[in-house]
Amino acid sequence: MTTWDGFQAFATTPVAAPPPPGGPPRNLEERLAYHSRFVTVRTPAIDTLAKNVRTLMILGRHQAVTARPSLIVTGPAGARKTTALLQVGRACHLAHTRRHGPAAAAGQVPVAYVLVPPAASAKTLATEFARYLGIPVTAGMSQAQITNSVCHTYTAARVQLVMIDEIHRLNPRTTTGAQSADLIKDLTERIGATFVYAGIDVTTTPLFTGVRGAQLAGRASLIDCAAFPARLGDSEPFRDLITAMESALDLRHHQPGTLPKLAPYLHERTAGRIGSLARLIRQAAITALINGTERITKTTLEAIRLDHLAEQHYRPHTRPRSRNTSTP
């Protein structure tokens, strides 16, 4: 995903789709592969991010003097921030191809996706930008040379959207972190693209501290991918999410409505995190296919070990066994 070829393959590969009504049944291997990939349910966070990115790309289209307005996607681990980011990137890529046609779009790179390496220095981060487009980097090149090559190539490729993931790894309080933050600021001013960042709980990290943090906070809007609440006013967004996932299952004996009825249990089990919920339902579906039951029950769900965060949160309420006090 962190190279243009990889991202292009992701963006152009048809997304997983539930079986069409009345369509021919799929075999076991096809259904195992389907639940391994599964559908991406449109969430409010994805919709909000998509609308804001599109608006900011239009807003900054003719801004050539200073950096364009940017976005930061934040939230706890398991909130599907990366999923939201990649879905918006895919939509941008496909829209660009539709607008210009495949032939005209050839040679253009509308979207770039870069991961911040652990303990990234400015040079290693610049190298990641170069690697995405296959820009040659030699051991003897300086950071300035790599950065100049990146800016020239990204501009020539007409990159419109730059997505930087794992932004919480940057710590402007350290020397290397400050240099990396300065590099990103330099890139935003030299590449005519909209920058979108994603990271874990960035407002609680040093990212917004100091002069560099103030500059970033002054340019970036924040979108919070929080855990789904069980209730929000009169609506039940978590139950709606479960219903959407259940409707996408390809199990022959599953009873519709089973999972929405388990919404309180599923919310407690996953702490409302969409990543944990999606993993739980996918893994339960694969288990049901392998063991031949072809349905998901609470017993199926209880037998699955989830990610450590979810397991730490969930503590089943067990009743102590009642002792038989009767005498013979």
Side-chain angles (χ1 to χ4, degrees), residues 258-319:
T258 300
L259 297 184
K261 289 178 183 176
L262 295 173
Y265 158 74
L266 289 170
H267 193 273
E268 184 181 6
R269 182 80 193 274
T270 64
R273 286 191 290 266
I274 184 174
S276 299
L277 176 68
R279 175 177 169 178
L280 181 60
I281 292 177
R282 290 167 55 218
Q283 198 165 335
I286 291 172
T287 299
L289 286 170
I290 292 173
N291 66 24
T293 59
E294 297 266 354
R295 62 178 177 270
I296 299 175
T297 64
K298 187 175 181 180
T299 301
T300 314
L301 297 166
E302 282 281 84
I304 292 171
R305 296 290 295 177
L306 268 180
D307 56 276
H308 186 58
L309 272 177
E311 294 294 347
Q312 277 189 316
H313 171 82
Y314 177 62
R315 293 292 182 267
H317 303 291
T318 57
R319 296 179 180 177

Side-chain angles (χ1 to χ4, degrees), residues 121-258:
S121 67
K123 186 172 183 178
T124 58
L125 184 55
T127 301
E128 286 299 302
F129 275 88
R131 189 170 69 85
Y132 182 81
L133 283 187
I135 302 170
V137 174
T138 62
M141 291 178 69
S142 66
Q143 176 206 319
Q145 289 173 319
I146 299 172
T147 302
N148 289 338
S149 184
V150 165
C151 292
H152 171 78
T153 308
Y154 274 56
T155 301
R158 302 182 66 179
V159 175
Q160 301 172 7
L161 177 64
V162 176
M163 305 183 298
I164 304 179
D165 209 347
E166 307 288 350
I167 194 68
H168 58 271
R169 290 175 172 172
L170 288 185
N171 183 359
R173 293 175 179 171
T174 67
T175 301
T176 56
Q179 292 170 350
S180 297
D182 287 342
L183 169 69
I184 290 178
K185 179 177 179 294
D186 189 25
L187 295 177
T188 62
E189 293 173 347
R190 296 176 61 184
I191 299 173
T194 297
F195 279 66
V196 180
Y197 314 93
I200 298 174
D201 295 332
V202 296
T203 55
T204 64
T205 70
L207 193 63
F208 283 161
T209 60
V211 175
R212 295 173 177 85
Q215 288 178 325
L216 179 61
R219 291 175 175 175
S221 305
L222 205 66
I223 293 179
D224 193 354
C225 289
F228 268 60
R231 298 194 68 89
L232 188 62
D234 295 330
S235 64
E236 298 182 68
F238 193 73
R239 188 185 299 270
D240 294 340
L241 179 64
I242 294 168
T243 301
M245 288 186 177
E246 185 185 65
S247 66
L249 292 172
D250 192 359
L251 299 173
R252 290 170 184 169
H253 304 309
H254 184 78
Q255 295 296 317
T258 300

